[in-house]
Amino acid sequence: MSKLKGLYSHQKNTQQKHTQHKALFLDRDGVINVDHGYVGHYDNFDYVEGIFDVVRMYALAKYKIVIVTNQSGIARGRYTEADFHVLMNRVKQDFADKGVPEVAVYFCPHHVEGSVPEYVINCACRKPKPGMLLQASQELGIALYDSVLIGDSWRDIEAAHAAGLKKSIYFSENAIPAGASIEGVRKVEALQQLTAIE
């Protein structure tokens, strides 16, 4: 698939010399929208309180805004890839209306326990693997070590760490897992706690 081709080309390319941008990476379900489980349509998309303020703060500080989201609902047949694109086009328009005109979206439609054969693969993009972040870095000219990720699952934090990010925000009511050794993680339970750039 094209997404995997992008990952492979990243591995072959030498370090590019174009401008390196900082990025705010965002998980989707549980960070941007309330995680109702397999959200594939706009009528079930409820924004998490405070998300627009946080994203606008980073955008104004010249961070690229990049959504990186596991979407196993596609592999499981809960909604289609086309449904996902329709939904995310509406979401990008909502961000534009709130003063954030440029939002990139990377997604993983795969799951080894899926029911749609073309998506039932052990891919390189499903978090906690770092594939989506690496692809975004290659395609958008992102300096991963200067970037920040907000995720509500520890696998988001693991993906950020594997990609070379030095800072992540664990947005969860759950404790950091016992024995976790990833440094540079800030835990918050409300997005309103994020009042300055990390």
Side-chain angles (χ1 to χ4, degrees):
M1 297 182 65
S2 60
K3 196 157 292 297
L4 293 179
K5 289 178 184 174
L7 295 177
Y8 294 143
S9 66
H10 170 83
Q11 294 167 355
K12 291 187 222 178
N13 287 348
T14 57
Q15 181 66 35
Q16 299 181 10
K17 300 197 184 292
H18 53 65
T19 302
Q20 294 285 290
H21 304 278
K22 297 179 181 180
L24 174 65
F25 290 100
L26 298 154
D27 179 45
R28 198 195 76 172
D29 301 302
V31 174
I32 294 174
N33 60 288
V34 177
D35 189 354
H36 297 305
Y38 304 112
V39 178
H41 300 91
Y42 191 76
D43 59 4
N44 197 32
F45 200 91
D46 300 313
Y47 286 99
V48 170
E49 186 175 355
I51 187 61
F52 291 116
D53 291 335
V54 169
V55 172
R56 189 164 47 243
M57 175 176 65
Y58 276 87
L60 289 171
K62 306 302 183 185
Y63 280 69
K64 285 187 174 291
I65 307 302
V66 185
I67 298 170
V68 284
T69 176
N70 289 349
Q71 290 295 316
S72 70
I74 296 171
R76 298 176 192 275
R78 300 295 189 97
Y79 45 90
T80 67
E81 198 165 333
D83 292 332
F84 174 82
H85 288 302
V86 169
L87 166 57
M88 294 312 296
N89 284 338
R90 291 285 300 273
V91 171
K92 287 194 283 187
Q93 184 59 56
D94 288 345
F95 273 101
D97 292 344
K98 297 290 186 178
V100 184
E102 295 185 16
V103 176
V105 177
Y106 289 80
F107 69 105
C108 171
H110 309 116
H111 199 284
V112 293
E113 297 177 2
S115 58
V116 181
E118 66 183 289
Y119 299 116
V120 181
I121 63 172
N122 185 10
C123 65
C125 51
R126 181 173 172 79
K127 294 176 290 183
K129 295 178 181 176
M132 287 185 282
L133 288 85
L134 297 178
Q135 185 179 357
S137 173
Q138 176 200 0
E139 295 179 352
L140 304 177
I142 292 169
L144 291 167
Y145 52 88
D146 283 334
S147 298
V148 179
L149 174 140
I150 304 177
D152 71 319
S153 167
W154 195 249
R155 66 174 173 257
D156 300 319
I157 307 304
E158 291 174 322
H161 178 70
L165 275 69
K166 301 303 181 189
K167 295 180 181 178
S168 348
I169 298 163
Y170 183 41
F171 171 38
S172 177
E173 295 180 356
N174 298 323
I176 291 175
S181 59
I182 298 175
E183 297 182 356
V185 180
R186 177 183 176 190
K187 183 180 180 303
V188 299
E189 295 190 6
L191 293 179
Q192 291 83 346
Q193 293 174 250
L194 302 177
T195 57
I197 300 295
E198 288 296 308

